[in-house]
Amino acid sequence: MTSAWELLLPAASAPARARGRALREALRDAVRSGRLAAGTRLPSSRDLAADLGVSRGLVTEAYEQLTAEGYLRSGRGAGTWVGDAVRAARPRARDLAPRSSGVHADFVPGTPDLSLFPRSAWAAAQRSVLADLPHEGLGYPDPRGLPRLRTALAELLARRRGVVADPERIVVVSGVAQATALLAGVLHARGTRTAGVEDPGSPQHSALYASAGIGTVPLPLDREGLALAPLHASGVRVAVTTPAHQFPTGIAYSARRRAELLAWARSVDGLVLEDDYDGDFRYDRAPVGALQGLDPERVAYTGSVSKSLAPGLRLGWLLVPDWLADDVVERKRTTDLGHPALDQALFARFVERGDYDRQLRVCQRAYRERRDALVSALAGHFPGARVTGIAAGLHAIATLPERYGPEERFVTRVTQAGVAVRPLAAYGHEGTVAGPAAGGEVRLVLGYAHLTPGRIRAGVARMAAAG
Ligand SMILES: Cc1ncc(COP(=O)(O)O)c(C=O)c1O
């Protein structure tokens, strides 16, 4: 037995009732974290069962479920391999991979509609920026970002998100991922060794902190946001949050919880990282301003154009408290000597001329229509289903009544029918909120923004026929 299988041993000694699930979670974690590398061939179910001292059925079930979720793949003949690790760990990369020919409808969340990218406006901005840019504009940029872009972003974020946005505190980065990595690096250098992450939450956060040498503590949610008692008990002083539209549950942190979270940060002399990943998309609820606007010295705020324009642009922003600003800028400088100047100038022009606001309006209209299509298709095909987290964002949570469960069987069936879905449980760390739903309900995270209303309706119909 290699050390990789030793990773699964604790799961094998879980109490009999929980053993199957513990095994699946341990296997998922091993793939997500890269401890089982992409392409690794797994032992036969018979051998692994013997090594772990569990029934062969449990191993077969775990292999089948993780294959359905995309973590593993099975060959034509016998054999099971670890799937592409990046695809398993990062929803975004997975989404952008070519769709396999057997997938008829892909509800995996994380991707906007890339066909809405404003090509002509972008091309016009590109031409004019190139024509106008003085030669010195092609030198190494200010590591914080071009002053012109930081000024445009400060105005935009203050107006749209209620952010307290001093251009001097903005750092232009290549996305939320880089913002998180820079911040994690700075915090590590200042002694931070653990950070709290939402559970369920984005696997990206844990992976990015891990790469900076910071361990993550999963923190459960309640209906209002991060649950307070576990946060206080955790001992962490840094917490990563998605308050506008929690990923993946879609809840908006309540006003009370926002205040409590900030009070916590002050009481531990800590920091909240606010990932405003889809904060621009609100449909029918009152705008929820950024947490950062309530206490800019306790919140680092980050966002990007990955949902509003395209993730391939690799462009985002980080607003840091004064006490971290110099360290973060220095880290950005040593990482890559600044963000590409032409891209920055282009985006600055795009924002200044109102093209970005226009793009947000176009997306907002399209995504609201798609959300409505999803909600009505689910109501038609899955009577009794509850759909939540729909006031904002690019995905929703569908809770299907017990008769469709158990969840794993449902997911396996619809996957076999060519409908890609992610159960909420796939985003859980320790099965707190994200554990399989009580009583055999099925809880799915359904991304809809990248699908036309027609494809959404067809996909839901296919799911209903299979499930
Ligand atoms: C929770 C969350 N935040 C942010 C991002 C976007 O990261 P980036 O801005 O680096 O593209 C993602 C992408 O999937 C995400 O899931």
Side-chain angles (χ1 to χ4, degrees):
M1 183 183 277
T2 72
S3 59
W5 317 128
E6 280 159 24
L7 298 170
L8 305 176
L9 272 175
S13 53
R17 267 182 47 237
R19 198 170 297 149
R21 182 156 154 243
L23 188 62
R24 291 190 294 278
E25 273 181 7
L27 201 49
R28 226 179 253 126
D29 276 349
V31 176
R32 269 196 200 131
S33 63
R35 281 172 294 172
L36 279 181
T40 305
R41 185 177 179 153
L42 295 171
S44 70
S45 53
R46 186 192 302 273
D47 287 350
L48 185 58
D51 282 341
L52 296 175
V54 301
S55 78
R56 187 175 171 197
L58 278 193
V59 177
T60 315
E61 226 177 70
Y63 279 9
E64 283 174 357
Q65 177 59 26
L66 269 78
T67 303
E69 292 173 9
Y71 289 96
L72 303 179
R73 59 188 164 80
S74 48
R76 262 167 210 274
T80 305
W81 287 265
V82 176
D84 177 340
V86 175
R87 288 172 66 191
R90 295 178 192 144
R92 173 156 306 284
R94 175 184 58 223
D95 294 346
L96 295 179
R99 308 243 185 266
S100 84
S101 54
V103 177
H104 295 276
D106 186 350
F107 287 105
V108 174
T111 315
D113 185 344
L114 300 175
S115 74
L116 294 180
F117 185 78
R119 285 176 190 254
S120 8
W122 198 257
Q126 203 154 30
R127 272 194 304 278
S128 91
V129 160
L130 267 179
D132 298 345
L133 195 74
H135 294 318
E136 54 275 19
L138 291 168
Y140 285 111
D142 182 328
R144 290 173 299 178
L146 299 191
R148 174 182 174 189
L149 177 56
R150 287 185 283 117
T151 301
L153 281 173
E155 186 279 325
L156 178 87
L157 296 173
R159 173 166 55 81
R160 293 195 71 96
R161 306 293 302 121
V163 161
V164 175
D166 175 353
E168 297 304 307
R169 303 251 204 105
I170 295 181
V171 185
V172 177
V173 293
S174 65
V176 169
Q178 188 182 47
T180 308
L182 289 174
L183 203 57
V186 166
L187 293 170
H188 183 269
R190 289 166 161 253
T192 299
R193 292 296 177 268
T194 51
V197 290
E198 294 169 326
D199 182 16
S202 166
Q204 285 228 59
H205 292 143
S206 299
L208 288 164
Y209 273 89
S211 68
I214 296 182
T216 45
V217 178
L219 297 172
L221 303 166
D222 59 24
R223 285 167 195 278
E224 297 187 60
L226 268 186
L228 276 189
L231 174 64
H232 279 280
S234 69
V236 299
R237 292 172 55 215
V238 173
V240 186
T241 61
T242 49
H245 185 239
Q246 200 275 332
F247 185 89
T249 63
I251 59 170
Y253 279 38
S254 68
R256 182 175 67 174
R257 188 55 48 82
R258 288 160 176 263
E260 289 166 343
L261 189 56
L262 293 172
W264 164 81
R266 288 189 284 268
S267 74
V268 297
D269 190 20
L271 181 75
V272 178
L273 173 60
E274 177 175 25
D275 174 355
D276 201 22
Y277 73 103
D278 67 3
D280 270 311
F281 299 109
R282 290 182 305 275
Y283 307 118
D284 36 29
R285 72 168 188 224
V288 180
L291 193 62
Q292 191 266 6
L294 302 176
D295 193 343
E297 286 306 304
R298 288 290 162 204
V299 181
Y301 171 91
T302 178
S304 74
V305 301
S306 290
K307 302 286 194 276
S308 51
L309 284 166
L313 295 182
R314 306 312 303 136
L315 187 62
W317 41 88
L318 170 62
L319 271 87
V320 279
D322 207 22
W323 52 280
L324 281 173
D326 288 348
D327 287 6
V328 169
V329 172
E330 192 45 35
R331 201 159 189 97
K332 172 67 180 167
R333 185 204 307 277
T334 53
T335 301
D336 57 14
L337 300 181
H339 200 74
L342 273 179
D343 293 355
Q344 294 192 60
L346 203 168
F347 186 54
R349 185 180 189 279
F350 206 73
V351 174
E352 288 159 1
R353 293 175 60 98
D355 289 331
Y356 191 61
D357 282 308
R358 198 165 304 118
Q359 168 71 3
L360 290 172
R361 285 197 298 274
V362 168
C363 293
Q364 179 111 356
R365 257 198 312 275
Y367 297 161
R368 179 192 281 132
E369 187 191 356
R370 293 165 194 206
R371 179 207 61 172
D372 292 346
L374 177 71
V375 171
S376 77
L378 286 167
H381 288 284
F382 291 94
R386 273 179 294 124
V387 192
T388 51
I390 56 173
L394 280 59
H395 70 268
I397 302 290
T399 304
L400 312 182
E402 261 180 53
R403 61 181 180 281
Y404 296 101
E407 185 168 282
E408 290 180 8
R409 193 188 59 184
F410 181 88
V411 171
T412 305
R413 284 194 183 164
V414 303
T415 305
Q416 282 163 353
V419 182
V421 292
R422 286 284 174 275
L424 181 60
Y427 297 95
H429 296 268
E430 289 184 339
T432 48
V433 176
E441 287 182 333
V442 177
R443 288 188 299 186
L444 304 173
V445 184
L446 299 175
Y448 54 78
H450 59 295
L451 300 170
T452 60
R455 294 194 67 176
I456 290 170
R457 284 189 283 271
V460 172
R462 202 176 179 92
M463 193 154 74

